[in-house]
Amino acid sequence: MSTVRIPPVLRSSTGGAKQVAVAGTTVGEALEALVGAYPALRAQLFGADGQLNRFVNIYVNDTDVRHLQDVATPIAERDTIVLLPAMAGGR
């Protein structure tokens, strides 16, 4: 299983878990497994059209999936997926 690292802003949706083990052979499958286990994350990660929210950055082993194959990026058993929602604020 791959590991998804959950940022602090999303941990309330995972019961406080910092990391979650998920099954899947692609980033998309892993994200579907994640929101299957934690349904509250779906609205935070995906838009109404089912596509990944454009304000969510996904990294596999420190590489942005947009520079790879996006959610079709293959993952291996020991890969780490990092979710980084864009944050706004300040003046």
Side-chain angles (χ1 to χ4, degrees):
M1 296 187 122
S2 299
T3 301
V4 179
R5 292 181 48 202
I6 309 297
V9 70
L10 297 178
R11 289 182 191 156
S12 63
S13 297
T14 61
K18 295 179 181 183
Q19 298 185 105
V20 176
V22 294
T25 60
T26 65
V27 169
E29 289 177 5
L31 293 178
E32 281 300 322
L34 180 67
V35 298
Y38 301 99
L41 284 174
R42 184 172 296 278
Q44 295 172 303
L45 299 179
F46 295 97
D49 60 0
Q51 298 297 309
L52 188 62
N53 185 323
R54 66 185 179 123
F55 298 109
V56 176
N57 299 303
I58 309 290
Y59 293 83
V60 174
N61 302 328
D62 300 323
T63 302
D64 189 331
V65 298
R66 291 182 179 114
H67 298 288
L68 300 170
Q69 297 173 39
D70 206 44
V71 294
T73 300
I75 54 174
E77 190 172 305
R78 299 202 191 282
D79 284 341
T80 299
I81 300 167
V82 177
L83 305 177
L84 284 178
M87 302 298 283
R91 298 181 105 164

